[in-house]
Amino acid sequence: MISTPRLTPKKKELLESMQIIDGMDILLHYPFRYEVIENKPFEQWQVDDKVVFEGVLASSMKLVRYAKNRSITRFTVLTEHDLYEISIFNRPWLKKISIGTKLTIYGKYEGRQKVVATTINEQPLQEQLGIHPIYHLREGLSQKYFEELVKESWKLNKDEIIEFIPENYRKRYRLYTKKEALYHLHFPSKMNEVQQAVRTMKYEEFLRFQIVMQARRCQNKQYELGSCKKFEQEKVWKLANQLPFKLTNDQRKAIEHILQDLASDSVMYRLVQGDVGCGKTMVAMFGMYGCVLAGYQAALMAPTEILAKQHAENLKKFFQSTSVRVGILYSSLNAKEKQEVYQQLSEHQIDILVGTHALFQQQVHFAKLGMIVTDEQQRFGVQQRQALAQKGDKVDVLMMSATPIPRTLATSLYGDMDVSTIIEVPKGKKEIQTYLIKENSIRSIQKRLEELMDEGNQIYMVCASVEKNEDFSARNVQDLYQNLSKAWQGKYRVGFIHGKLKSEQKDEIIDCFLKKEFDCLVTTTVIEVGVDVKDANVMVIYDAHRFGLSQLHQLRGRVGRSAKQGYCYLLTSSKDEESLKRLQLLVDHSDGFEISQCDLKLRGPGDLLGYRQSGIPTFVLADFISDQKILNQSRDDASEILNRLECYPLIQQYLIENAKNYINYFD
Ligand code: ADP
Ligand code: MG
């Protein structure tokens, strides 16, 4: 039984806000750094060294006030070595200490026996030496208080700590037991104990993650024998030769993978990842063609109606020379239209159905569904994908992601899927010119924007919110629309769109924008995926610091879709160095792989790849950019362990207990 130290309601609430609920959570809240307090012999002191030493106050304290609430106190201290001159800022109360008092002083050595102190106390130095963990804590919780909590929690729970890493692996890599690791993380006596403990916990985090992901993969492969789809691959490649352009090698490889999956006897569970505009949708079309040739139906699910319609049009064009029949279904069709689609679908008069959420409603019956494709997979809920897959028997699943990560990482992070990666971008694509504007206004670029519109370009103006919001100070669609309409009245036509509008309204607006009835569209991120407007080559993003890096990259992927130059202006009034550095990354990099890697480093995979709250274990200490060696090792070990799962009852137990948490992930 896990026990929790007694807490006042206030402290309890504070801890809960940090996701610390019980005594074990306290032990799993690791220090984020350590302060090492050691006394270096005086002879070895160098200028700028952080020093700590003991001495006796040798002069009275002289206090000089030089501004309101500002002061400096100077005094001398006699150590066993010499007389030192100490100064310390803003401690006017110190002057009460009497000469002869023994003091311990922390500070910075300035050279020539001078020290600028940061802390002075009267406890003996000997009692203060050692390594002190420092924890990330909310205001209202002191380091000292938390240290006590950790001590108490340790006493209460040290025998409740469950090992995860099997003994043979632990010994192979000379890791601590989990109990030892936690002890050394919280109560280290040497820094190399901390390192060893961190190494242990990193390996555990990776191993746990790998085991869960790979277990899911085994499950897919073992229990879901698919239908071997029989078709002539030649026919697919023949269609490829009719394209006005050449497929890139990566596209060809991805298509090969998909066709093999379709023909194989296990269910396809594949992710195609690549930067915006690398031609993923194209790849999916060939896959669906294979499926149709084998006599099955395919469904393509898009996150928005606008996108679904575009896909349907593209598919119809693409399949013009074939007998493939494409249908479309979305909620705003009228009852008669819908009925017609339902009927054609159940009578197998439609081969490929493109649509939105409407695809997985109850009335939808496929005659012979063989494959589903989800475009922009991170946008779909798990249940939605599941509901659609259940409309057929052993349906092959193909997912598209525009948040690509390097191959080596992908094999690890998407351990439960097969991954095809498209790196090559079709020739002739121009890099989008991106600028960081350090104010949340278009003042400095207004002329340029007007020029661009005069040249026939259209502009997206992206806001982080729809309307004014007290708790969220960001430029909003409504205000901006009003301001711009006024400013550009009679010169440029401005429209607006956001997710709260009805779907027919949204369609109409996009349609108007497509027909160039607006020069400028004020919008939220509803246009993030899919919309293809040939002349929309300029994007302005307000409050850019409020968006994730990958999201910004995807947003700007909306412009420069044709051969014309695309421009993206990131506006922010943030003064935060980190935020500005992040945004600068977008100015400097145009490669989606690099950007998602930076994003992963900043936000972790949970947020970026959608694991959060999926029951998939996440990482606290492990960082799979800098710890790739451990990551790869844990991947191999996890596969070894799963192959002999009967030898590892604790892991078996863990999988069983957690199955209900992660079973739905990506299904
Ligand atoms: P994604 O879905 O990866 O963002 P799309 O499949 O929508 O990319 O392709 C973007 C554009 O590039 C489309 O207009 C498509 O016709 C075109 N395209 C795809 N593959 C190629 C290629 N190999 N060469 C030239 N253009 C291509
Ligand atoms: Mg696409």
Side-chain angles (χ1 to χ4, degrees):
M1 260 293 280
I2 289 164
S3 322
T4 309
R6 284 185 58 143
L7 301 165
T8 61
K10 187 105 193 277
K11 300 275 193 231
K12 188 161 184 275
E13 198 185 311
L14 276 170
L15 288 168
E16 278 174 6
S17 75
M18 298 164 59
Q19 264 89 53
I20 295 175
I21 313 296
D22 64 23
M24 195 57 83
D25 296 334
I26 293 174
L27 293 180
L28 294 177
H29 188 70
Y30 310 134
F32 75 101
R33 67 180 178 89
Y34 296 84
E35 218 157 63
V36 181
I37 299 170
E38 51 182 0
N39 63 339
K40 209 175 181 183
F42 292 98
E43 300 79 37
Q44 293 174 17
W45 286 13
Q46 307 265 334
V47 173
D48 284 346
D49 272 358
K50 276 183 126 181
V51 294
V52 48
F53 60 100
E54 235 171 0
V56 173
L57 184 61
S59 70
S60 60
M61 300 218 174
K62 291 203 186 68
L63 173 70
V64 181
R65 291 182 192 273
Y66 59 90
K68 200 183 169 211
N69 297 330
R70 303 254 158 210
S71 69
I72 183 163
T73 306
R74 294 182 210 275
F75 53 97
T76 53
V77 160
L78 183 62
T79 72
E80 58 187 26
H81 177 256
D82 207 336
L83 198 62
Y84 282 81
E85 287 176 41
I86 318 291
S87 40
I88 186 164
F89 290 97
N90 307 327
R91 305 285 209 290
W93 58 89
L94 281 178
K95 66 176 190 219
K96 294 192 189 110
I97 300 175
S98 49
I99 296 181
T101 309
K102 226 177 168 186
L103 297 172
T104 294
I105 293 163
Y106 293 76
K108 193 170 86 181
Y109 185 50
E110 303 268 277
R112 287 178 294 128
Q113 265 61 334
K114 288 190 165 75
V115 171
V116 175
T118 50
T119 304
I120 297 176
N121 65 45
E122 296 182 29
Q123 280 137 259
L125 175 59
Q126 202 51 41
E127 288 171 15
Q128 301 178 52
L129 293 176
I131 302 177
H132 298 267
I134 312 288
Y135 298 90
H136 274 306
L137 297 171
R138 285 272 155 86
E139 213 179 302
L141 295 167
S142 70
Q143 293 292 336
K144 213 169 185 134
Y145 172 78
F146 196 78
E147 271 177 47
E148 284 308 314
L149 276 187
V150 171
K151 269 189 207 147
E152 216 178 317
S153 303
W154 175 260
K155 265 192 234 137
L156 292 169
N157 298 304
K158 63 181 189 301
D159 297 320
E160 302 290 331
I161 297 167
I162 300 169
E163 276 305 313
F164 183 81
I165 305 171
E167 197 183 343
N168 48 338
Y169 291 93
R170 198 180 76 227
K171 292 204 164 134
R172 187 188 296 172
Y173 306 124
R174 298 204 183 80
L175 301 172
Y176 283 139
T177 61
K178 185 160 187 176
K179 187 170 167 182
E180 288 166 335
L182 290 181
Y183 181 81
H184 289 301
L185 279 173
H186 292 294
F187 317 109
S189 54
K190 296 193 212 82
M191 273 318 277
N192 61 4
E193 290 172 354
V194 173
Q195 279 152 16
Q196 177 97 337
V198 166
R199 203 161 65 90
T200 302
M201 294 317 297
K202 280 181 175 178
Y203 179 78
E204 183 189 311
E205 288 177 8
F206 279 140
L207 189 68
R208 203 183 279 275
F209 175 80
Q210 290 292 347
I211 283 189
V212 167
M213 291 300 243
Q214 291 184 28
R216 287 195 38 68
R217 165 77 152 270
C218 295
Q219 215 174 30
N220 293 332
K221 295 259 156 198
Q222 273 172 19
Y223 302 118
E224 295 182 29
L225 282 183
S227 48
C228 318
K229 300 195 170 67
K230 294 200 179 59
F231 58 94
E232 286 173 60
Q233 296 209 3
E234 282 306 305
K235 281 199 179 156
V236 178
W237 296 115
K238 230 172 96 190
L239 187 63
N241 293 333
Q242 293 173 14
L243 286 173
F245 46 75
K246 250 183 93 180
L247 291 173
T248 64
N249 282 329
D250 286 340
Q251 282 176 312
R252 294 189 83 87
K253 252 183 260 165
I255 296 169
E256 271 166 32
H257 292 153
I258 295 166
L259 298 181
Q260 273 162 23
D261 287 350
L262 287 169
S264 87
D265 64 0
S266 45
V267 164
M268 166 159 67
Y269 208 57
R270 180 171 296 278
L271 179 79
V272 176
Q273 59 156 4
D275 212 339
V276 231
C278 72
K280 295 180 296 292
T281 314
M282 189 55 69
V283 166
M285 293 198 233
F286 285 100
M288 291 190 282
Y289 188 41
C291 173
V292 172
L293 287 175
Y296 288 82
Q297 291 168 300
L300 170 60
M301 187 158 66
T304 62
E305 211 165 289
I306 302 165
L307 186 54
K309 286 178 188 163
Q310 277 185 10
H311 276 323
E313 258 167 60
N314 288 338
L315 284 170
K316 278 180 190 155
K317 251 187 251 152
F318 182 74
F319 288 117
Q320 232 164 28
S321 63
T322 71
S323 57
V324 176
R325 296 153 300 182
V326 179
I328 182 162
L329 183 65
Y330 46 87
S331 25
S332 58
L333 287 179
N334 67 36
K336 192 165 152 259
E337 291 166 322
K338 276 187 198 160
Q339 206 50 51
E340 201 169 340
V341 175
Y342 295 153
Q343 188 166 355
Q344 289 176 339
L345 200 60
S346 60
E347 289 170 3
H348 208 150
Q349 289 171 28
I350 290 176
D351 299 302
I352 298 179
L353 184 65
V354 184
T356 57
H357 305 71
L359 288 192
F360 39 81
Q361 250 119 49
Q362 256 190 349
Q363 304 90 313
V364 182
H365 297 289
F366 289 83
K368 200 177 178 190
L369 180 63
M371 173 184 193
I372 61 172
V373 181
T374 55
D375 196 16
E376 313 285 352
Q377 63 95 8
Q378 69 281 9
R379 298 227 135 201
F380 283 97
V382 161
Q383 287 85 355
Q384 302 174 332
R385 211 154 30 217
Q386 223 168 12
L388 187 52
Q390 277 160 6
K391 296 204 175 283
D393 187 27
K394 295 162 187 161
V395 170
D396 285 315
V397 178
L398 182 64
M399 290 165 274
M400 310 279 151
S401 167
T403 307
I405 53 179
R407 254 189 204 120
T408 46
L409 277 179
T411 359
S412 286
L413 288 181
Y414 291 121
D416 61 340
M417 296 182 253
D418 294 305
V419 180
S420 300
T421 302
I422 300 180
I423 295 172
E424 277 179 88
V425 176
K427 288 204 183 67
K429 266 215 158 336
K430 289 213 179 84
E431 256 176 42
I432 294 160
Q433 289 181 12
T434 303
Y435 304 89
L436 179 56
I437 311 287
K438 292 184 185 165
E439 61 177 346
N440 205 30
S441 149
I442 56 163
R443 213 171 34 151
S444 64
I445 51 168
Q446 187 167 341
K447 277 249 158 57
R448 178 73 187 128
L449 295 178
E450 291 171 358
E451 269 169 34
L452 284 165
M453 285 190 285
D454 293 338
E455 288 165 18
N457 294 295
Q458 290 168 285
I459 303 182
Y460 291 112
M461 296 262 185
V462 183
C463 298
S465 79
V466 177
E467 55 209 20
K468 221 184 221 63
N469 183 337
E470 301 269 292
D471 329 315
F472 191 78
S473 67
R475 202 45 87 96
N476 66 74
V477 172
Q478 288 179 350
D479 287 356
L480 187 62
Y481 168 70
Q482 273 168 12
N483 294 345
L484 289 176
S485 309
K486 235 184 256 157
W488 281 336
Q489 195 170 23
K491 284 193 281 183
Y492 306 101
R493 295 150 304 170
V494 185
F496 75 93
I497 189 171
H498 54 73
K500 289 184 179 169
L501 296 175
K502 282 215 183 81
S503 118
E504 305 91 75
Q505 288 175 298
K506 279 188 275 191
D507 280 352
E508 208 180 303
I509 294 163
I510 288 290
D511 219 42
C512 289
F513 196 53
L514 271 166
K515 289 189 194 134
K516 256 185 135 166
E517 285 168 25
F518 301 129
D519 303 295
C520 169
L521 186 64
V522 182
T523 173
T524 58
T525 54
V526 283
I527 49 106
E528 181 181 358
V529 289
V531 187
D532 248 329
V533 181
K534 202 164 80 297
D535 280 325
N537 291 312
V538 186
M539 179 171 285
V540 177
I541 305 174
Y542 281 85
D543 297 287
H545 62 282
R546 289 191 176 274
F547 299 91
L549 275 185
S550 300
Q551 197 182 12
L552 288 170
H553 181 63
Q554 256 191 304
L555 270 169
R556 75 171 165 184
R558 288 303 109 218
V559 300
R561 308 284 290 185
S562 60
K564 279 203 192 161
Q565 180 62 54
Y567 302 89
C568 175
Y569 298 90
L570 305 170
L571 312 184
T572 179
S573 54
S574 169
K575 298 279 177 285
D576 180 46
E577 296 254 332
E578 280 303 309
S579 300
L580 294 173
K581 237 200 271 175
R582 247 169 24 102
L583 294 175
Q584 187 62 37
L585 282 169
L586 285 165
V587 177
D588 299 338
H589 296 282
S590 56
D591 178 355
F593 285 88
E594 220 141 335
I595 287 159
S596 23
Q597 190 157 336
C598 296
D599 218 5
L600 276 173
K601 219 179 160 77
L602 291 167
R603 292 197 292 158
D607 274 345
L608 194 65
L609 308 177
Y611 304 145
R612 186 120 311 161
Q613 283 156 8
S614 64
I616 299 275
T618 48
F619 312 107
V620 182
L621 290 171
D623 169 338
F624 46 97
I625 307 292
S626 38
D627 300 323
Q628 281 192 38
K629 257 201 185 132
I630 314 182
L631 176 63
N632 291 336
Q633 191 61 57
S634 72
R635 186 177 70 216
D636 297 346
D637 296 346
S639 128
E640 246 175 51
I641 290 169
L642 287 171
N643 278 330
R644 304 177 54 217
L645 194 56
E646 65 284 358
C647 309
Y648 303 102
L650 278 178
I651 291 190
Q652 211 166 7
Q653 189 61 29
Y654 172 76
L655 283 173
I656 292 167
E657 278 169 12
N658 287 281
K660 61 177 182 305
N661 288 331
Y662 64 74
I663 200 77
N664 287 328
Y665 170 69
F666 276 155
D667 275 316

